[in-house]
Amino acid sequence: MAWAPDRPAARGRATGRNGTTGTTALEVLRALESGPRGLTEAEADARLARHGENVFPGRRPDAWPRRFARSLRDPFTAVLLSLGLVSAALAAWGTACVIAVLVTVSCVLRATGEHRADRSAAALRELVAATATVRRRPAEPDAPVTRELPVEQLVPGDVVLLAPGDLVPADLRLLRTTGLTVHEAALTGESAPAAKGTAGDLCLQGSSVVSGSATGVVASTGADTVLSGALPQDRGPRLPGPFDRSVNGIAWTLVRFMLLTAPLVLVASALLRGRGLETLPFAVAVAVGLTPEMLPVVVTTALARGAALLARGGEVIVRRLPALHDLGAVDVLCVDKTGTLTQDRPVFDRAVDPEGREDPAVLHWAAVAALWTLHLAELPAPDALDEALLDADEERGSGADGVEGVAALPCGPGRRIASALVRVPGGYEPGYGPGGPEPVLPGNVRTLTGGRGPAGTYVLVVKGAAEDVLERCTRVADGTDGPGVADGRPLSTADRARLAARADALAESGLRVLAVAVAERPASTGPYAPEDERELTLAGFVGLRDALAPTAAEALTVLAGHGVAVKVLTGDHPGTAARACRELGLDPGEPLTAARIDAAGDAELARLAARTTVFARCAPEHKARVVRALRTAGHTTGFLGDGVNDLAALHAADVGICPRDGVPVAREAADVVLASKDLTALGRAVVTGRRSTGHIAAYLRITLSSNLGNVIAMLTAGLLLPFLPMLPAQVLVQNLCFDAAQLSLAFDRPAATVHERPTVLRPRALFRFMTAFGLLNAAADLATFGVLALTLRSAGSTGGQTAFHAGWFTENLLTQALVMLLLRAGRDAAERRAPLPVRLATTGLAVVGLLLPLSPLGPALGMTALPPLYYGLMAVVLTLYGAALAAARKRALTQ
């Protein structure tokens, strides 16, 4: 199903966005107040000032300060800011300053990473052609001058010249064409070139010239083009992705814990110990202790590091850092076929005679027609179909040597056949290499001299749409006279129906079908005309298929190995899409067409989408609806597309992905841009996203379980002891040391299994883990209280309090180092050695825990030296805790 944006300018010669109308070149020029000689430079400058530059009105990159301010809206950052304000109100300036530094670092990292990604994405625009061939006049009486002009300077009324390979720089109304075909896949999803040949026809920005030449007048530029207007203007707020949902869920759960914990500390202290507001700083410290202060920094660092690694390899640009997490969470990837899984060009697949037998002579005659149509019809370059036929014929060792072209009629608007009249010298038999078959002419083709003499044989070769060629045939080759195309017999009504069914079957198998017919023609001095394309003998059919993207099959295999299901959403014929899937090793199943999508309700479509691989004949709204249905069913969905017809789906997906060759509007709408043409880069990006998410999840598991255990122990000790179990400054220093050490987790090596399935931060699973291991940590803390009670003579004295603080401080850092080693990402710590950064960080954490109370800073923080017995008993506690931690982790991994 071809698609054009739903606006008048996209429908032939109707009224355009700027009011241009007309069915003739003169009417079009008059409506635009221009002429065939082009605008004068003065008039062009005036129109440029009036209409603005011809640039795509994509979203302007935000300034760095604006990005920084937007980063403050992160839920964890908001929680930290609130705690910082409370700390400042209580004159706890140390806590307030540390929180301010953490928030600043996190926001700077995020803003810088996204700013760098936008700069990299902007650099891709340089890969697009930046000039157009324009006809202008220096002044009113001067002759027109043809020159190259930056596309940004085009204005309505400019006369533009198009040649093969040119990108259409603006919306043009055609004035004159010669065999013009344009590629509109980026706009319509159709891989076949579209013929343009009528004055007043619209040629849209974003298409490219395949063959022929044309002169057109610019009708619309900039924001007024169909390409610019195709982006939905009222899209509404984007649904939160997996990252936003996970982070919000974790943040609000922690907020509830903090809102419950701080008042609980105050009430318990007041009721049981008679303390008043003097415990408020401690209550705030407990809340800070529960909060993973470094989470914004760790999250941003992990994602920014992953994005930088991908960008450094020149493969993937992550334009929105949370999209890297979402990419790792994707379990369903929807892809457009044309331009992603397949290239925008056909390749030869087979040539068969009317009975369905392989016959290379059919390919040869089709290639002869293509070659001489190119030369004699004055086409600047062959279209994609002709190019594929010529390449295939050349690869088979044949050629048109000795065949002389006489006349040709190319395809054109409303004409779906092309024909060439050639002269074949006497005795000509095109060969296909040593030992190969030697196709001969049909038996009804005779030499003009009664034999294969010097005058040779004039042969008319016709190729094109099967139904159009069949209606011009009166005979069919029956294959009874040797190899190749043989004698023909009269074509009956039953034969026509059978041959039409054969062509339909080839089309259903995913091929683009051309029929080939030949006939003898006498020498004539009159011009060759379409009326001569009659009484033909059908030689057979040629089938062409879409060329696959070089790395598409490997990419699909890699994605399947990572647990990502791939679904194909295309505007093509179901057979074409199914064939491409089979060739790529993807089981297409039963395709679902747009009509079935329209008939299904949302709930039914969600069920159908879950078990369907190919969605065919899809318009943009169908693609977007399928993506939304998959998200509704609970799948994290990515969409890979490169055209205007993919914009709605890119916006609807959790992660929008666009290749670098996609149209600018698609690149602007995407979260991730594939800067490399290698589709396997997408698999590597998925792995990088999962690795980054694994680092974040490891940090959360370690921090939250450890912090929860500490908070439980603090509450218990606060109720049992006549003094605060830990001073606010000690809580802050402990958290800073622990969080700084955990930055090393970004260098951890995740287990191989992390690449095999989607990875997402799941708040419920995270808090189950936090509760189980937090209680285990609390048990170790309570055991430490018992050790301190045995080793300290008088816990109620000032010296006893400082020793208690030092003992618990040391135990906390030692247990946290142990937790980092045993609960980090990847396999069980017993199976492999931690990487050097993690070993250094945990060693440093343990050293700080042991030496800080003994250092000159100890008394300043309210800590003193501990008796030797404490260290011996603490070693026993840590050994038992490590064994219990390893056993609990092993059990958690096996569940």
Side-chain angles (χ1 to χ4, degrees), residues 733-745:
V733 171
Q734 171 192 299
N735 287 346
L736 282 177
C737 293
F738 186 31
D739 289 335
Q742 288 186 91
L743 289 176
S744 66
L745 294 174

Side-chain angles (χ1 to χ4, degrees), residues 180-232:
L180 180 68
T181 60
V182 296
H183 200 284
E184 297 179 329
L187 297 161
T188 67
E190 290 285 352
S191 56
K196 303 281 186 178
T198 306
D201 273 355
L202 188 65
C203 204
L204 296 176
Q205 181 186 32
S207 54
S208 59
V209 178
V210 177
S211 64
S213 60
T215 302
V217 59
V218 176
S220 301
T221 59
D224 292 330
T225 62
V226 171
L227 179 62
S228 298
L231 181 63

Side-chain angles (χ1 to χ4, degrees), residues 61-308:
D62 291 332
W64 195 91
R66 184 179 179 87
R67 293 180 188 276
F68 182 89
R70 192 172 58 211
S71 300
L72 295 174
R73 295 183 297 183
D74 177 84
F76 278 111
T77 303
V79 170
L80 284 178
L81 283 176
S82 300
L83 291 174
L85 293 175
V86 172
S87 300
L90 297 173
W93 298 111
T95 302
C97 290
V98 169
I99 289 176
V101 170
L102 294 177
V103 169
T104 302
V105 170
S106 172
C107 292
V108 166
L109 287 174
R110 175 168 294 187
T112 302
E114 294 185 356
H115 181 68
R116 186 183 299 115
D118 265 352
R119 283 192 305 174
S120 299
L124 293 179
R125 299 189 184 99
E126 298 178 1
L127 300 175
V128 180
T131 62
T133 305
V134 180
R135 183 183 297 159
R136 281 187 182 176
R137 292 170 292 155
E140 186 64 38
D142 295 334
V145 177
T146 300
R147 63 189 180 93
E148 293 294 312
L149 195 71
V151 294
E152 293 85 357
Q153 296 182 23
L154 291 181
V155 296
D158 264 329
V159 175
V160 175
L161 281 64
L162 297 177
D166 285 349
L167 294 176
V168 179
D171 287 355
L172 306 179
R173 292 284 178 176
L174 297 177
L175 304 176
R176 181 188 61 81
T177 65
T178 302
L180 180 68
T181 60
V182 296
H183 200 284
E184 297 179 329
L187 297 161
T188 67
E190 290 285 352
S191 56
K196 303 281 186 178
T198 306
D201 273 355
L202 188 65
C203 204
L204 296 176
Q205 181 186 32
S207 54
S208 59
V209 178
V210 177
S211 64
S213 60
T215 302
V217 59
V218 176
S220 301
T221 59
D224 292 330
T225 62
V226 171
L227 179 62
S228 298
L231 181 63
Q233 299 299 313
D234 186 17
R235 297 178 297 175
R238 185 169 185 167
L239 296 175
F243 179 83
D244 296 324
R245 293 194 299 269
S246 299
V247 168
N248 286 337
I250 296 169
W252 284 113
T253 302
L254 288 176
V255 168
R256 295 187 189 99
F257 265 103
M258 288 186 291
L259 292 177
L260 176 65
T261 301
L264 183 62
V265 171
L266 292 174
V267 171
S269 297
L271 293 179
L272 299 179
R273 292 295 177 184
R275 304 186 185 116
L277 291 179
E278 65 271 15
T279 60
L280 185 57
F282 176 70
V284 173
V286 170
V288 172
L290 184 63
T291 305
E293 299 95 334
M294 291 289 287
L295 181 61
V297 177
V298 170
V299 168
T300 306
T301 300
L303 295 178
R305 184 171 181 267

Side-chain angles (χ1 to χ4, degrees), residues 573-664:
H573 188 285
T576 303
R579 182 185 185 90
C581 289
R582 284 192 293 269
E583 291 177 348
L584 292 169
L586 184 65
D587 182 8
E590 181 181 354
L592 196 68
T593 61
R596 185 70 181 88
I597 295 173
D598 288 333
D602 291 341
E604 182 184 2
L605 181 59
R607 291 192 297 271
L608 289 173
R611 62 172 184 262
T612 300
T613 300
V614 174
F615 301 81
R617 297 297 192 191
C618 289
E621 59 270 19
H622 296 123
K623 296 181 180 183
R625 190 166 175 232
V626 169
V627 170
R628 284 194 294 267
L630 289 167
R631 290 187 68 182
T632 301
H635 295 285
T636 301
T637 307
F639 183 85
L640 172 62
D642 66 342
V644 176
N645 57 335
D646 298 321
L647 290 175
L650 286 168
H651 178 71
D654 289 301
V655 186
I657 309 163
C658 180
R660 80 170 192 183
D661 294 331
V663 296

